[in-house]
Amino acid sequence: MKKTLFTLLGLCIVCLLPAQLSFTKKAQFDYYNFLTQSFFTYNNEQVAYTMEIVNDKDIKFTIISGDLDIKRTFTITDCVLQIYDEFYELLLAGIMPIEDYSSTYTHLTQTLFNEDEKFEVVRLKVEVQNDDFTITGAEVVSEDGIILGELPEEMLMEDYYLELSVLTIEDNTYICVYNWDEDMYHAYSIDNAGNKSSPSDDTNSLDTPFMSKVSSSKVYPNPVINRNNLTIELDKAVTDINSYIEIIDMRGRKIIKKPIKANTNKVSISTKRLKNGQYLYRIISNGNSIDTGKVIVK
């Protein structure tokens, strides 16, 4: 009887103790590889990837699933520049969602430029002078080395890097590049009509850029003090009498809709209905979104 009682007490004590942690080694990564958490999915699964420099000029990408299994590997050529003996510069644009500047940007995308299963990067073309370089162009390259198209020269805002911000509103996706001198975003639509087909036999690239600039706008003051007015100014006047500006919060809710008078390019908007925080604005004309941007209310 006493033995049974002690056994029961022992079982009770064991049940009250916290569960012991256990750890299982799943994988290992080379110190000189870059492990990056991406914000895209592959086959409906969140993935990460590693980048490994090979041949001093190419990058081998390895796609890793949530359970750290290797899903696929491929190599993008001519996207590394060796400046000094042991210093390498990645000739790839950074891609990140426009609404989250705290996130780590990615170099890979699978759905931004087309709808196939292949991954793409934006590879920079540079002119090297001594121990420095200047960006002269940028091209979208698929994982099998096919050049899908070139970005317009006006998108190259900086000499040494290119950061592309992705803005998605409803079914519309735009590539935004921030111009520090003008203090405003330039938004570009993506024409997928040409880059879904294979290039012709006599060329490995498209003759014309597949991204077209829609419009440019600036907002001021930005940040704006709560309950004060902000002004959104377009680079040209709208002619459609049904044009308007939407203010959208970071959850995608439309807070303000302000008509734009025909043949004008400037609109003043009160911030009385806006709480402190970040908002997106979208300019609609002729039924199309012609520009987007960000405004901060303090």
Side-chain angles (χ1 to χ4, degrees), residues 27-275:
Q28 61 186 33
F29 303 100
D30 191 284
Y31 177 78
Y32 294 100
N33 285 7
F34 305 92
L35 178 62
T36 304
Q37 177 68 40
S38 63
F39 65 88
F40 57 81
T41 59
Y42 171 63
N43 290 339
N44 298 318
E45 182 181 12
Q46 187 77 25
V47 297
Y49 64 90
T50 63
M51 296 189 297
E52 178 185 358
I53 297 176
V54 294
N55 302 323
D56 291 331
K57 63 182 183 65
D58 309 327
I59 290 184
K60 176 183 177 182
F61 287 90
T62 300
I63 309 300
I64 302 172
S65 66
D67 54 8
L68 298 185
D69 287 336
I70 295 177
K71 291 296 185 180
R72 61 197 295 181
T73 61
F74 54 88
T75 299
I76 302 294
T77 61
D78 301 321
C79 54
V80 177
L81 180 64
Q82 187 172 4
I83 302 296
Y84 305 109
D85 292 338
E86 297 182 357
F87 181 78
Y88 295 89
E89 187 74 34
L90 297 183
L91 303 181
L92 296 173
I95 304 172
M96 66 185 299
I98 194 172
E99 67 273 11
D100 188 4
Y101 282 95
S102 63
S103 66
T104 302
Y105 62 75
T106 179
H107 296 293
L108 282 180
T109 175
Q110 188 186 24
T111 58
L112 181 58
F113 299 108
N114 55 36
E115 298 176 356
D116 62 21
E117 294 185 355
K118 298 177 182 177
F119 288 92
E120 292 84 33
V121 300
V122 178
R123 183 173 60 191
L124 306 179
K125 297 190 292 185
V126 299
E127 179 180 333
V128 181
Q129 297 178 344
N130 299 324
D131 292 331
D132 207 347
F133 69 92
T134 302
I135 297 176
T136 59
E139 54 195 10
V140 178
V141 184
S142 68
E143 64 178 68
D144 51 8
I146 295 177
I147 300 175
L148 304 181
E150 293 197 10
L151 275 62
E153 184 178 350
E154 60 191 56
M155 290 185 70
L156 309 178
M157 301 291 184
E158 302 292 338
D159 293 334
Y160 306 104
Y161 73 95
L162 177 61
E163 185 176 283
L164 305 177
S165 299
V166 182
L167 174 64
T168 302
I169 302 177
E170 296 178 347
D171 295 329
N172 300 309
T173 299
Y174 304 94
I175 301 294
C176 300
V177 181
Y178 189 73
N179 187 310
W180 292 94
D181 295 332
E182 300 176 1
D183 192 24
M184 64 180 179
Y185 281 102
H186 290 202
Y188 298 78
S189 61
I190 305 172
D191 178 14
N192 286 327
N195 63 24
K196 286 186 177 180
S197 58
S198 300
S200 57
D201 295 335
D202 58 347
T203 180
N204 196 34
S205 65
L206 302 178
D207 294 332
T208 58
F210 67 92
M211 300 184 69
S212 56
K213 185 177 179 181
V214 182
S215 181
S216 291
S217 64
K218 56 183 177 180
V219 55
Y220 54 88
N222 192 14
V224 60
I225 302 300
N226 195 296
R227 305 186 72 82
N228 288 354
N229 288 353
L230 64 89
T231 299
I232 298 177
E233 182 177 344
L234 284 77
D235 58 352
K236 56 185 177 181
V238 298
T239 57
D240 178 26
I241 60 174
N242 296 316
S243 300
Y244 59 92
I245 293 177
E246 293 178 332
I247 304 295
I248 304 166
D249 68 12
M250 303 314 292
R251 296 183 180 180
R253 298 177 298 185
K254 299 175 184 178
I255 309 300
I256 295 175
K257 181 178 179 180
K258 182 69 177 287
I260 306 175
K261 293 182 180 180
N263 301 315
T264 61
N265 71 326
K266 189 181 299 185
V267 177
S268 180
I269 300 176
S270 172
T271 62
K272 291 181 180 180
R273 296 174 53 189
L274 302 178
K275 298 179 180 180

Side-chain angles (χ1 to χ4, degrees), residues 1-15:
M1 180 67 181
K2 289 184 179 180
K3 184 177 181 180
T4 303
L5 181 59
F6 283 126
T7 302
L8 292 175
L9 289 173
L11 291 174
C12 291
I13 293 174
V14 170
C15 292

